[in-house]
Amino acid sequence: MADTGIMKQIADKIKDSNNILVTVNTNPSVDELSAALGITLFINKLNKHATAVFSGAVPPAIEFLNPEKTFENTVDSLRDFIIALDKEKADHLRYKVVDDMVKIFITPYRTTISEKDLDFSQGDYNVETVLAVGVQTEADLDHALESHGRIMHDATVAAISLGEPTKLGGMEWADGSASSYSEMLVRLCEQLKTDKAVIDEQIATAFLTGIVAATDRFSNSSTSSQVMTIAAQLMAAGANQQLIANELQKEQVIAAVVETRGTDQIDETPQAAKADDAIGALSISHVPEGDVDEVTKQVNEAKTAAALDVATQELSGTQSSEPVDAGDAAEQKLAEQLA
């Protein structure tokens, strides 16, 4: 069973913090990114300021989750902006929100104030808690954080891992029995939820995407009764299971096609070269090639051409006694590729 004690400690720390950074490693999985996205959205529902940082390329499989609206590729937004003024020139300050502008009013003290009296600078990184999802060491942090070790030093770090110990220090939550990071962070959300902050459709879909990817659609050894229960709860919260399955399947098909074509090119090209290397000839295949859609198109074109040829021969009275087998050959090729 998971250590509920450390999980509660992390939840309490998040409740006591206003600014939380969620980060992943340099090469995160679909599960890790989905988990980071889901927990960031949930923490923001608690009226906290949660920032998820990921500077790498987002896998196509999770593009439907609109990660660009949640992930930031730099840590610039985590720094305070400082406006400094000699205190002898200021009596008091106030601010007012006017439309989309925040206006800061400085009442001078026995003097006048102009732009030259103000000094502008970048302050420290304003982070109280860091949730490190799937990060083993500081060297494994996302590249956007490489030169900002001060963040990890000043903030409380909560390292979340699937049973493998980390070297980040701080609070360590490891659960070797969990199927995925998304499953673990769903349980963390249960510790954090309030009457107003619950898992909604967007968050549920993000978490379920991670679980489905990590369990290979509930078919590998990571699948447990607990993760099935959590998946059912996420679906009840509005997670679009069919959309998730379609997007992940699409990603697998694309990867398989790329891998297959790469293998074909490696295997077939040397054989063709060997066959006719002595005389420098080139063999041209007339059997339809390509993916299923391309072969189907070629089959239809072949059948149409064959039917037109037969009709022409019948009209002219010169039909050949040879059977027209172009369509049959194309159908056989299609059957082979489908197999």
Side-chain angles (χ1 to χ4, degrees):
M1 286 296 292
D3 188 342
T4 56
I6 188 65
M7 179 173 60
K8 187 177 185 306
Q9 290 179 34
I10 294 174
D12 290 340
K13 181 59 182 177
I14 292 173
K15 291 176 182 178
D16 293 338
S17 303
N18 289 317
N19 297 288
I20 298 98
L21 167 64
V22 181
T23 186
V24 293
N25 57 61
T26 55
N27 187 29
S29 64
V30 168
D31 171 38
E32 290 163 346
L33 288 173
S34 299
L37 193 154
I39 194 63
T40 302
L41 293 173
F42 187 87
I43 293 174
N44 280 323
K45 289 187 68 176
L46 299 172
N47 293 324
K48 309 286 184 181
H49 181 209
T51 303
V53 175
F54 175 55
S55 61
V58 174
I62 66 168
E63 287 181 352
F64 75 103
L65 296 174
N66 299 317
E68 71 281 355
K69 295 182 179 179
T70 302
F71 290 121
E72 298 187 23
N73 56 17
T74 70
V75 294
D76 295 342
S77 66
L78 302 175
R79 300 186 72 176
D80 290 330
F81 181 73
I82 300 174
I83 303 174
L85 173 68
D86 185 351
K87 68 176 184 178
E88 298 298 328
K89 295 184 177 183
D91 189 22
H92 62 270
L93 293 82
R94 70 186 190 277
Y95 74 91
K96 183 179 181 181
V97 179
V98 180
D99 296 329
D100 294 331
M101 301 291 291
V102 178
K103 294 188 176 182
I104 300 173
F105 300 89
I106 304 174
T107 302
Y109 181 72
R110 296 181 179 181
T111 186
T112 59
I113 298 175
S114 64
E115 291 182 3
K116 66 180 182 181
D117 297 310
L118 302 176
D119 180 59
F120 305 98
S121 61
Q122 294 285 347
D124 292 332
Y125 289 95
N126 191 12
V127 178
E128 299 161 77
T129 302
V130 176
L131 291 182
V133 181
V135 180
Q136 294 298 309
T137 65
E138 287 196 17
D140 194 33
L141 284 168
D142 184 89
H143 294 308
L145 289 164
E146 282 181 341
S147 59
H148 305 289
R150 191 74 186 174
I151 296 176
M152 304 294 288
H153 181 270
D154 294 342
T156 299
V157 178
I160 302 171
S161 63
L162 291 173
E164 299 179 2
T166 74
K167 299 179 181 178
L168 295 179
M171 293 184 285
E172 176 80 25
W173 180 23
D175 186 357
S177 65
S179 67
S180 57
Y181 290 99
S182 294
E183 177 190 331
M184 293 176 69
L185 293 183
V186 168
R187 299 205 303 269
L188 181 61
C189 288
E190 290 296 316
Q191 292 283 333
L192 291 168
K193 74 177 183 179
T194 63
D195 292 338
K196 294 183 179 180
V198 295
I199 294 178
D200 59 21
E201 179 179 344
Q202 183 183 17
I203 298 170
T205 300
F207 282 139
L208 188 58
T209 299
I211 291 174
V212 171
T215 61
D216 194 14
R217 288 173 291 177
F218 307 105
S219 64
N220 63 23
S221 58
S222 297
T223 307
S224 64
S225 58
Q226 179 169 303
V227 73
M228 295 300 290
T229 300
I230 290 176
Q233 293 171 346
L234 293 174
M235 291 177 66
N240 192 332
Q241 185 270 341
Q242 189 60 50
L243 174 62
I244 294 169
N246 289 341
E247 292 298 326
L248 293 179
Q249 177 66 20
K250 187 187 303 181
E251 176 77 358
Q252 290 179 350
V253 169
I254 293 174
V257 169
V258 171
E259 182 179 356
T260 301
R261 288 184 172 178
T263 303
D264 289 344
Q265 290 174 357
I266 293 173
D267 292 342
E268 292 180 5
T269 302
Q271 293 175 2
K274 282 182 181 180
D276 298 314
D277 183 61
I279 58 174
L282 175 65
S283 298
I284 301 175
S285 173
H286 297 282
V287 179
E289 296 181 351
D291 58 24
V292 173
D293 291 337
E294 293 170 347
V295 172
T296 302
K297 180 180 178 181
Q298 294 176 53
V299 168
N300 291 334
E301 291 175 349
K303 285 185 174 181
T304 301
L308 181 61
D309 183 54
V310 170
T312 302
Q313 292 181 25
E314 287 181 348
L315 289 174
S316 62
T318 60
Q319 182 174 354
S320 172
S321 59
E322 293 295 324
V324 179
D325 59 356
D328 293 339
E331 285 183 339
Q332 182 179 356
K333 179 63 177 178
L334 174 60
E336 293 173 355
Q337 291 209 3
L338 288 176

